[in-house]
Amino acid sequence: RQPLDFNLQPTAPDRVTLSGIVSVRSTAPCPGAVVVEITSGADAGRVTRVDDSGRYVLANLHPGALTVQASAPGDLDRTAGLTLTTDESSHFRLDPSPYLTTGRAIDAVTQSAVTGVQVGGDGVTGTSCESSGAFIVTAATGSSEPRLLVLTSLNQGERRTNVRIPG
């Protein structure tokens, strides 16, 4: 008979779930535009969107330290550093950016929403909603000077205008 030689190894750690609610005070232009992303730790890059009630769930995560960020168009991002050892909840309240403006891209002839619009420009970032043509534009700082805003659509081409973003 051969003796059995074995070493007991600890089992792989159980996975954990992070869930919570993201509350927003501004109105994002698109349903599901609020995003929760893990930005550091073993699960960096994992992303989910909130449901219609603002709830999010990130399941099957590695236990340990991580950073999670909640963001939405027109709102200031919120970040939390957490150490998960069991299932946990983390809630976020997003406040509106002080430097934002909203608008809607419409066809001048038909007065219907222009879909698929990309929004950008001079020192601004923008988001748009496919179905309604609504958009939010934010800037890093406020200015009383007009900023160039560029709306680009595959069907309508490019339109440029100047906007003032309060702040």
Side-chain angles (χ1 to χ4, degrees):
R1 288 190 179 222
Q2 295 276 18
L4 288 177
D5 185 19
F6 60 92
N7 291 322
L8 294 177
Q9 299 290 329
T11 59
D14 292 336
R15 299 299 179 109
V16 295
T17 297
L18 176 63
S19 61
I21 296 174
V22 180
S23 303
V24 294
R25 290 183 51 200
S26 69
T27 304
C30 306
V34 178
V35 174
V36 177
E37 176 180 7
I38 297 175
T39 58
S40 74
D43 295 294
R46 290 275 308 271
V47 176
T48 190
R49 295 190 183 279
V50 301
D51 65 15
D52 291 342
S53 300
R55 298 182 195 286
Y56 73 92
V57 176
L58 286 160
N60 201 27
L61 301 174
H62 294 87
L66 60 86
T67 304
V68 63
Q69 176 176 299
S71 60
D75 289 314
L76 299 172
D77 296 348
R78 291 286 185 236
T79 302
L82 305 170
T83 300
L84 301 180
T85 56
T86 62
D87 293 351
E88 289 193 32
S89 293
S90 184
H91 306 295
F92 296 91
R93 185 179 130 205
L94 304 182
D95 293 316
S97 167
Y99 312 117
L100 71 93
T101 192
T102 61
R104 185 167 178 251
I106 58 170
D107 183 293
V109 176
T110 66
Q111 296 297 304
S112 61
V114 178
T115 61
V117 172
Q118 303 220 342
V119 183
D122 181 23
V124 300
T125 57
T127 60
S128 67
C129 187
E130 289 294 315
S131 61
S132 71
F135 62 85
I136 292 177
V137 177
T138 57
T141 61
S143 172
S144 61
E145 296 299 314
R147 296 175 189 255
L148 176 64
L149 185 65
V150 180
L151 303 163
T152 308
S153 168
L154 292 176
N155 299 335
Q156 304 290 326
E158 182 179 286
R159 300 290 185 261
R160 294 171 174 259
T161 189
N162 288 311
V163 296
R164 282 194 168 81
I165 298 176

